[in-house]
Amino acid sequence: GESVGLHLPTLSVQEGDNSIINCAYSNSASDYFIWYKQESGKGPQFIIDIRSNMDKRQGQRVTVLLNKTVKHLSLQIAATQPGDSAVYFCAEKGSMGSASYGKLTFGQGTILTVHP
Amino acid sequence: NAGVTQTPKFQVLKTGQSMTLQCAQDMNHNSMYWYRQDPGMGLRLIYYSASEGTTDKGEVPNGYNVSRLNKREFSLRLESAAPSQTSVYFCASSEVPGFRTGEHEQYFGPGTRLTVT
């Protein structure tokens, strides 16, 4: 079946470094890809999304890159801070007209630890 | 504006017992969702409601039922709890269809941690 997965289950960085979290996806028909951040004991929180016809989108300190050729998604966090420590999930949204329209399929997650 | 609220926060059940997890949102969103999250895994969709009056199965619906009571409330019921249903349950809401970037945010509640012994 279709799935979204992550290459690296854990990532440790020093405060101030840039972080890159990767995600592989298999459903070419998804029309949006989304990154969520989940802090310990809380529900996931939306970070940024990107449409399937885009290669790059930037937010505040974050950049999402989409490589459709190799079905790869990444989240770059600039000047990582201790408050960025969390589990990061990528998710894909089913395209209009598909059985999964409007529904998100989540990957397993990457644990990001930022050391002061 | 409380966002998405869930009750209870914690629950312990014995095998075979039933319970209902409550969820409410005050953002006037059309769509609501129930997910479960198991250790080391991402969220898996149990059921969703695209709009008031409609519900549909997600990836892992077996053993669960849902009710979209009104636009604000979406409940999840376990009729006969099993140890395999031990998990953290998250409710979420969103506006769909979300035609533009930035419109795919699902707002999540704080979760209900359920243990079935």
Side-chain angles (χ1 to χ4, degrees), chain B residues 30-94:
Chain B
N30 287 313
S31 300
M32 298 185 73
Y33 311 82
W34 275 105
Y35 294 89
R36 60 177 288 172
Q37 184 175 36
D38 300 305
M41 297 182 69
L43 286 82
R44 291 184 292 168
L45 183 65
I46 304 172
Y47 270 94
Y48 72 103
S49 171
S51 60
E52 186 179 355
T54 68
T55 61
D56 210 342
K57 295 178 180 178
E59 183 184 352
V60 288
N62 292 342
Y64 306 95
N65 284 301
V66 291
S67 294
R68 183 73 183 268
L69 304 170
N70 48 54
K71 191 171 186 179
R72 288 187 64 248
E73 299 172 288
F74 188 39
S75 63
L76 178 72
R77 182 161 179 83
L78 287 71
E79 290 291 351
S80 179
S84 62
Q85 293 178 305
T86 294
S87 189
V88 181
Y89 291 85
F90 289 100
C91 176
S93 71
S94 74

Side-chain angles (χ1 to χ4, degrees), chain A residues 32 34 36 38 41-46 49-51 54 57 89 93 96 99 101-104 106-109, chain B residues 33 35 37 40-43 45 48 57-58 90 96-110:
Chain A
Y32 282 92
I34 305 106
Y36 278 84
Q38 186 177 24
K42 297 183 179 179
Q45 181 180 13
F46 174 88
D49 60 1
I50 186 168
R51 190 171 180 175
M54 300 169 67
R57 187 160 186 252
F89 294 96
K93 179 192 166 195
M96 187 180 289
Y101 175 64
K103 295 186 284 187
L104 296 181
F106 285 81
Q108 291 184 328
Chain B
Y33 311 82
Y35 294 89
Q37 184 175 36
M41 297 182 69
L43 286 82
L45 183 65
Y48 72 103
K57 295 178 180 178
F90 289 100
V96 288
F99 289 120
R100 293 180 290 271
T101 53
E103 291 185 348
H104 302 92
E105 181 167 4
Q106 288 189 10
Y107 292 80
F108 285 81

